[in-house]
Amino acid sequence: MSFRATFLGANYHTLTHLVPAAFEAAALSLFRYQAVRCPPYRDFLASLGRDPAAVQRLVDIPFLPIEFFKTHEVRTDPSQWQPQEVFRSSGTTLQQRSRHLVRDPALYRANAAAIFEAAYGPLTDWIFLALLPSYLEQGESSLVAMVADFAQRSGQSQPAFFLRDHAGLLRALADAKQQPGRRVMLFGVTYALLDLAAEVGPAPELQNLTVLETGGMKGRRREMIREELHQELQAAFGPAPLHSEYGMTELLSQAYSPGEGLFYCPPQLRVLLRDPADPFSVAEDRADGAINVIDLANVDSCAFIETKDLARRHPSGAFEVLGRLDNSDIRGCSQLV
């Protein structure tokens, strides 16, 4: 059996039920595989003069700068497969979009569904609606693919996506709330949620639902600190905590926040913090710094990514995203600056 098949296990059980004590061993085995079989990562390690055999701890793993997804085909075992789907990051016409070449779209969808259900319960308990205009317009969005899959798995009859049709969205929200035994979740890019709140105000259709904002102003509005944003949105959506997602094109896994901007990682995802001035100074117990992320679902690309996000670690193990490093692009699915 191949390394990939053994690593993923039957029905992705290895990833979605990974216990914390097994994470380091799994990550190190995947590192040694990708250090040889992922050409951009292999060349990056060679340029650093790093011997993969000498890496014995998570904090010693060199993380691939996230910009490589803009400039290279980040694939492991590229001769063995062709992409069945391509996810692209959001961006302006002047920005080069990152590409995540996906070998197995079913892996992405099954992994995302397992993460969501561990945090929020069965998909069939929910009705999903989404206000993601920029993602829909630019296309090839992993977020759109995820929400569409959630809606299909939930068995809902309502359409999930509303480009800028606020009236249609309000009608769908009202109808969804009439479905017995179902909760309603509204995914929304930040600026679109603010536009909806400004247009309709505290309408009854916006009350008593779970709002999950995915970050991103896309240059449409000024950046806001989390407290200011949530205060403005809660004036329209009610006092319930606003939920958030931390995800990005370059990852196949997501972390969710049930409120207060604190994100919790699923078993297959881990965030490490590094010194923003030294990319190789990583510590598992560091209180704040720039995010390095390990996503074991990235078995076919690269699981070890150096992002440009800044974060603070909390005693509970949750992390809070503080913003972006200077001169880095504002990312669509990153949390707020």
Side-chain angles (χ1 to χ4, degrees):
M1 184 178 292
S2 69
F3 172 89
R4 182 183 188 275
T6 302
F7 184 81
L8 290 175
N11 299 316
Y12 317 116
H13 182 88
T14 304
L15 294 181
T16 57
H17 294 79
L18 191 70
V19 297
F23 184 93
E24 182 164 13
L28 287 170
S29 69
L30 183 57
F31 163 72
R32 295 185 183 106
Y33 170 64
Q34 293 186 332
V36 175
R37 308 292 281 272
C38 178
Y41 192 37
R42 180 187 62 215
D43 294 346
F44 173 68
L45 295 174
S47 73
L48 298 176
R50 298 298 296 272
D51 178 7
V55 174
Q56 301 297 322
R57 304 179 302 162
L58 291 185
V59 295
D60 296 329
I61 293 175
F63 285 73
L64 186 72
I66 200 166
E67 292 87 354
F68 272 66
F69 282 83
K70 292 183 177 181
T71 57
H72 294 72
E73 288 196 351
V74 182
R75 290 200 281 160
T76 295
D77 275 341
S79 64
Q80 303 299 313
W81 57 278
Q82 291 299 317
Q84 300 303 301
E85 194 164 8
V86 177
F87 293 140
R88 297 181 189 269
S89 64
S90 58
T92 69
T93 56
L94 299 179
Q95 293 174 338
Q96 187 174 1
R97 299 168 68 188
S98 293
R99 295 184 305 153
H100 197 155
L101 307 178
V102 181
R103 177 176 183 172
D104 183 1
L107 169 62
Y108 171 69
R109 287 161 174 79
N111 185 58
I115 293 170
F116 180 91
E117 291 192 325
Y120 292 103
L123 291 166
T124 51
D125 288 350
W126 292 89
I127 292 175
F128 298 97
L129 304 174
L131 197 58
L132 304 169
S134 51
Y135 295 97
L136 288 168
E137 290 171 331
Q138 292 187 324
E140 297 181 299
S141 162
S142 58
L143 177 61
V144 169
M146 182 182 78
V147 175
D149 186 61
F150 286 1
Q152 181 179 14
R153 290 174 185 251
S154 78
Q156 68 189 57
S157 58
Q158 290 91 340
F161 296 99
F162 296 83
L163 191 59
R164 290 184 179 81
D165 180 9
H166 291 169
L169 175 60
L170 292 181
R171 290 193 296 270
L173 287 169
D175 291 343
K177 290 180 182 180
Q178 302 304 311
Q179 301 295 318
R182 293 289 196 106
R183 293 181 285 172
V184 181
M185 178 172 285
L186 175 63
F187 279 82
V189 64
T190 306
Y191 80 85
L193 291 174
L194 289 169
D195 289 347
L196 175 65
E199 180 178 322
V200 305
E205 294 89 345
L206 300 185
Q207 311 303 304
N208 302 315
L209 66 148
T210 300
V211 179
L212 194 148
E213 55 95 3
T214 66
M217 290 297 189
K218 313 293 186 192
R220 313 292 179 97
R221 286 171 170 259
R222 66 178 179 84
E223 298 297 333
M224 303 165 69
I225 62 173
R226 179 176 56 81
E227 291 80 3
E228 181 185 9
L229 168 75
H230 284 204
Q231 182 178 11
E232 187 167 334
L233 288 178
Q234 284 177 323
F237 292 99
L242 287 165
H243 297 236
S244 304
E245 180 224 21
Y246 183 79
M248 57 189 70
T249 300
E250 298 84 358
L251 302 179
L252 295 186
S253 299
Q254 307 79 33
Y256 288 103
S257 166
E260 304 302 323
L262 298 181
F263 293 91
Y264 294 87
C265 288
Q268 58 272 55
L269 191 73
R270 183 169 296 186
V271 163
L272 304 178
L273 300 182
R274 68 181 190 274
D275 183 342
D278 181 359
F280 304 110
S281 177
V282 181
E284 291 197 74
D285 59 352
R286 187 181 180 90
D288 53 56
I291 289 178
N292 284 1
V293 62
I294 302 174
D295 184 2
L296 300 184
N298 277 20
V299 65
D300 297 310
S301 53
C302 181
F304 311 95
I305 298 175
E306 176 193 293
T307 81
K308 302 304 181 187
D309 295 327
L310 297 168
R312 175 181 298 126
R313 189 182 306 282
H314 287 252
S316 64
F319 67 96
E320 175 187 4
V321 180
L322 304 177
R324 300 280 294 160
L325 290 171
D326 290 343
N327 300 320
S328 60
D329 294 339
I330 300 300
R331 303 184 61 79
C333 292
S334 300
Q335 186 50 24
L336 306 172
V337 174

